[in-house]
Amino acid sequence: MPNNRSFEEEKLEKMSRRDEILDAAGELFSRRGFHATSMRDLARAVNLQGGSLYAHIDSKEELLFELVNRAADEFLYNAEAIPAHISPKERLERLIRGHLEVIVRELDYATVFFHEWKFLNPELQSRIKARRDDYETHFRKTIEAGVKEGQFQVEDVRLATLFVLSALNWTYHWYRPHGKLTLESLSKHYCTLVFKTLGAC
Amino acid sequence: MPNNRSFEEEKLEKMSRRDEILDAAGELFSRRGFHATSMRDLARAVNLQGGSLYAHIDSKEELLFELVNRAADEFLYNAEAIPAHISPKERLERLIRGHLEVIVRELDYATVFFHEWKFLNPELQSRIKARRDDYETHFRKTIEAGVKEGQFQVEDVRLATLFVLSALNWTYHWYRPHGKLTLESLSKHYCTLVFKTLGAC
């Protein structure tokens, strides 16, 4: 069935082309910002004519949402993969490792997630907001459980959660993927600091 | 000397007009972003014709630099006002209080400082970068001194400084000036968390 095969091939090519466009958008949005990137810049980055880009995507906004949403997928995937039976301290260690892993390995996506999401329209923003809240809840519930089980000593769980997530989030501002600091070393140091922050014993 | 007086008056009026434009730019740049704000938006926000705006400022870039630089002034002013003779722990407490004060009281300026500074041209960016480095040094030297005097227990001063500043910086993302959390309460809680992070005794 040569016709069917070529249809499949065409679909696969379109999909990989779309991933390529997404990666280019991630790089441009994270470096220059969403508003300073034009469709023309994007087309140039993937060697397409401006017009042909519209065969693959509808708008710049659609790309922004997909980038932010994929980053949310990654963060949540890591958090949801953590087994429920391990201790709060071990859970938090995996949450920290997973969080830093997404930032370090997907720095462009993470930057767009943290830095450009406010340029989504209100409806899309509220969809992402709900996923962010879900994600934050993993951290808060883990810290709460740790306090309940006597592993953490914390005065105000909400503020402590904010403090810890803030320290982790900011990593995208300064982390250099080709620098000396590996994900392993960063995670180890940051786990130690977070545990001290939470008075872990 | 009526002519001189009216010249002075005109100068004063221009100065306050400029402050008004800066405040409006701070609000617009922090909410929408630098690139999504046009000179027309700015003129509208201060009830001026687009053309008249140019009597007060040369360009949007000039406003961005002035906003970022004023925020740097505020951060550095607080840090430099701390007396040298007090202990590292007391110094750090004042640094944290001063840092959060700028974010809480000048949320728009702080947001532009942290969020939009990357849209400055390379030369202006490096001037701001130097001031940021100066500011970060106040924190690092204070933590270093605390370690030396046995007030703090820290494995890696550089990473601990980054961790602490990250946690403080991110405040501009979530702090609501008209919410329940006062600067005093936030500072108190965050000082406690930072001291725990640094193993303060």
Side-chain angles (χ1 to χ4, degrees):
Chain A
M1 291 184 294
N3 270 350
N4 270 355
R5 240 189 88 217
S6 92
F7 173 76
E8 283 302 314
E9 275 174 2
E10 207 177 292
K11 203 173 133 193
L12 268 175
E13 196 194 307
K14 265 203 181 162
M15 275 177 61
S16 73
R17 202 54 163 153
R18 201 182 159 81
D19 280 342
E20 197 190 329
I21 295 168
L22 267 176
D23 281 353
E27 198 275 322
L28 286 166
F29 293 176
S30 75
R31 186 160 45 87
R32 298 191 196 173
F34 172 71
H35 281 295
T37 303
S38 66
M39 284 296 263
R40 188 178 296 190
D41 297 329
L42 252 171
R44 200 176 301 132
V46 291
N47 288 317
L48 276 174
Q49 297 291 329
S52 327
L53 199 55
Y54 288 101
H56 302 276
I57 55 158
D58 288 333
S59 65
K60 236 173 59 172
E61 286 69 22
E62 179 199 321
L63 283 178
L64 178 60
F65 178 70
E66 198 161 329
L67 286 167
V68 170
N69 205 38
R70 279 202 190 186
D73 285 345
E74 304 259 346
F75 283 120
L76 279 163
Y77 176 84
N78 279 350
E80 286 159 8
I82 300 170
H85 66 271
I86 62 177
S87 77
K89 206 175 155 187
E90 286 171 297
R91 233 156 45 225
L92 190 59
E93 197 166 346
R94 298 216 196 171
L95 280 170
I96 294 165
R97 175 65 163 73
H99 192 84
L100 294 172
E101 190 190 342
V102 178
I103 296 177
V104 164
R105 294 213 199 288
E106 304 287 353
L107 194 55
D108 286 341
Y109 281 62
T111 303
V112 175
F113 178 79
F114 289 124
H115 214 271
E116 304 296 307
W117 84 298
K118 68 176 177 179
F119 301 122
L120 290 169
N121 70 43
E123 193 249 319
L124 294 179
Q125 233 181 80
S126 71
R127 278 167 63 186
I128 297 298
K129 175 84 173 48
R131 305 196 73 195
R132 280 175 171 250
D133 289 349
D134 270 4
Y135 185 67
E136 199 178 307
T137 303
H138 282 280
F139 280 79
R140 209 190 53 247
K141 294 266 177 208
T142 303
I143 294 174
E144 242 162 37
V147 171
K148 216 170 270 173
E149 296 181 21
Q151 289 192 315
F152 303 141
Q153 325 291 326
V154 173
E155 238 181 275
D156 183 315
V157 170
R158 196 185 134 261
L159 276 177
T161 307
L162 263 171
F163 184 92
V164 165
L165 266 171
S166 298
L168 300 178
N169 289 347
W170 197 264
T171 311
Y172 86 87
H173 276 280
W174 60 266
Y175 190 79
R176 293 290 159 267
H178 305 294
K180 275 185 201 158
L181 188 65
T182 62
L183 169 63
E184 281 61 40
S185 173
L186 174 65
S187 295
K188 199 185 127 284
H189 277 99
Y190 266 32
C191 275
T192 307
L193 290 165
V194 171
F195 287 154
K196 282 169 78 180
T197 306
L198 302 177
C201 35
Chain B
M1 293 185 293
N3 271 349
N4 270 355
R5 239 189 87 217
S6 92
F7 172 77
E8 284 301 314
E9 275 173 1
E10 208 178 291
K11 203 173 135 194
L12 269 176
E13 197 193 306
K14 266 203 180 162
M15 275 176 61
S16 74
R17 202 53 162 159
R18 201 181 158 83
D19 280 341
E20 199 191 328
I21 295 167
L22 266 176
D23 280 352
E27 199 275 322
L28 287 166
F29 292 176
S30 76
R31 185 159 46 85
R32 297 189 196 174
F34 173 70
H35 280 294
T37 303
S38 66
M39 284 295 262
R40 188 178 296 192
D41 298 328
L42 253 172
R44 201 176 300 131
V46 291
N47 288 317
L48 275 175
Q49 299 290 327
S52 327
L53 200 54
Y54 287 100
H56 302 276
I57 56 158
D58 288 334
S59 66
K60 237 174 57 173
E61 286 70 21
E62 178 198 324
L63 282 178
L64 178 60
F65 178 70
E66 197 159 332
L67 285 168
V68 170
N69 205 38
R70 279 202 188 185
D73 285 345
E74 303 257 349
F75 283 120
L76 280 162
Y77 176 84
N78 279 349
E80 286 159 6
I82 300 170
H85 67 271
I86 63 177
S87 77
K89 205 174 157 186
E90 286 171 298
R91 235 158 42 226
L92 190 59
E93 196 167 347
R94 299 217 197 169
L95 280 171
I96 294 167
R97 175 66 163 73
H99 192 84
L100 293 172
E101 190 190 343
V102 177
I103 296 178
V104 164
R105 295 213 200 288
E106 303 287 353
L107 194 55
D108 286 341
Y109 280 62
T111 303
V112 175
F113 178 78
F114 289 124
H115 215 270
E116 305 295 309
W117 84 298
K118 67 176 177 179
F119 301 121
L120 290 169
N121 70 44
E123 193 249 318
L124 294 179
Q125 234 181 76
S126 70
R127 278 167 64 185
I128 296 298
K129 176 80 174 49
R131 305 196 73 194
R132 280 176 172 249
D133 289 348
D134 269 5
Y135 186 66
E136 201 178 306
T137 303
H138 282 280
F139 279 80
R140 209 191 52 249
K141 293 265 176 211
T142 302
I143 294 174
E144 243 163 37
V147 171
K148 213 169 274 174
E149 295 182 21
Q151 290 192 315
F152 303 141
Q153 325 292 325
V154 173
E155 239 181 274
D156 183 315
V157 169
R158 196 184 134 259
L159 277 178
T161 307
L162 262 171
F163 184 92
V164 166
L165 265 171
S166 297
L168 300 178
N169 287 348
W170 196 263
T171 311
Y172 86 87
H173 277 279
W174 60 267
Y175 190 80
R176 294 290 159 267
H178 305 295
K180 275 184 199 158
L181 188 64
T182 61
L183 169 63
E184 280 62 37
S185 174
L186 175 65
S187 296
K188 199 185 127 285
H189 277 100
Y190 265 32
C191 276
T192 306
L193 289 166
V194 171
F195 287 154
K196 282 169 78 180
T197 306
L198 303 177
C201 37

